Amino acid sequence: MAGTTRSPGPEEPGKLKRSFSLLAVLGTILVIAGVVGLIYTGVATLTSMLLFGWLLLIGGIVGLVHAVQSRGSDYFWLAVVVAALNIAAGIVVIRHPYGSAEALTLFAALLFLTGGLFRLVGSLVVRGPQFGWTVFQGAVGLVLGILVLGNWPESSRYVLGLFFSLALLFDGLGLLAIGVGGRRIVTLVTEPDVSASPTDRPGNGQGRSPL
């Protein structure tokens, strides 16, 4: 009949539960990988560099294919140059992962150092409403930059792996919380209301006023 709305079938809550369960499983895998990476930071550093190199290489190849397909356009040569640089960088990172880790660690230490210094000086000059929090962030960045830079290049063996493992751990915890929480919400919403008495249910003949 026109104008009627169809209520969701019983299979839709089941699909939602399966989706949230998959998120929880993926989150658990990421949490385990993050914990293992925190224990073996050297292996995590090597793994992160190899992944980074392969991503650069594959992205460069895909970019080169798109550039060839769009030849004749105004940005053809620019796309070719960018793709070639990505391919070259990917090959270098894959062939020399530890040397690339040293370069990236040095770059990260300089970013921490300069970012923390500018944030610390800026907070002292401006003295805004978030003065204390900004000073804390600047001090932490400055200390991290000094620690990593002072122990370089030995710090390159574990710094990138530590950051990579922490990212996996926090992403996994987030997915795990979403999966478990979403499954609980779907269960609470779709479970039948057993507290209602039989006389309150529709279709029951009791409680009708006599004609």
Side-chain angles (χ1 to χ4, degrees), residues 33-152:
V35 172
V36 172
L38 289 176
I39 298 173
Y40 303 100
T41 52
V43 177
T45 298
L46 179 62
T47 303
S48 62
M49 293 310 302
L50 291 177
L51 287 176
F52 181 59
W54 279 108
L55 285 176
L56 285 175
L57 182 60
I58 295 173
I61 294 174
V62 172
L64 186 60
V65 171
H66 282 299
V68 171
Q69 291 177 349
S70 62
R71 59 184 178 274
S73 60
D74 297 335
Y75 56 88
F76 169 72
W77 288 109
L78 178 62
V80 170
V81 171
V82 172
L85 289 176
N86 285 334
I87 292 174
I91 293 174
V92 170
V93 172
I94 293 172
R95 293 190 62 181
H96 306 283
Y98 288 113
S100 303
E102 291 180 0
L104 285 179
T105 303
L106 179 61
F107 181 69
L110 292 175
L111 280 182
F112 282 132
L113 191 62
T114 55
L117 184 61
F118 278 110
R119 183 169 294 177
L120 190 61
V121 173
S123 62
L124 293 175
V125 171
V126 176
R127 292 184 178 273
Q130 301 294 330
F131 172 73
W133 178 246
T134 308
V135 169
F136 176 74
Q137 287 180 323
V140 169
L142 190 62
V143 170
L144 281 176
I146 293 174
L147 290 177
V148 175
L149 195 59
N151 198 27
W152 186 85

Side-chain angles (χ1 to χ4, degrees), residues 12-31:
E12 295 184 6
K15 290 181 180 179
L16 286 176
K17 286 185 178 180
R18 286 192 294 271
S19 300
F20 284 120
S21 299
L22 289 177
L23 284 179
V25 171
L26 179 59
T28 304
I29 294 174
L30 291 181
V31 168

Side-chain angles (χ1 to χ4, degrees), residues 34 37-38 41-42 44-45 157-168:
L38 289 176
T41 52
T45 298
R157 300 288 179 176
Y158 59 85
V159 168
L160 295 180
L162 179 64
F163 291 160
F164 180 66
S165 302
L166 287 175
L168 288 179

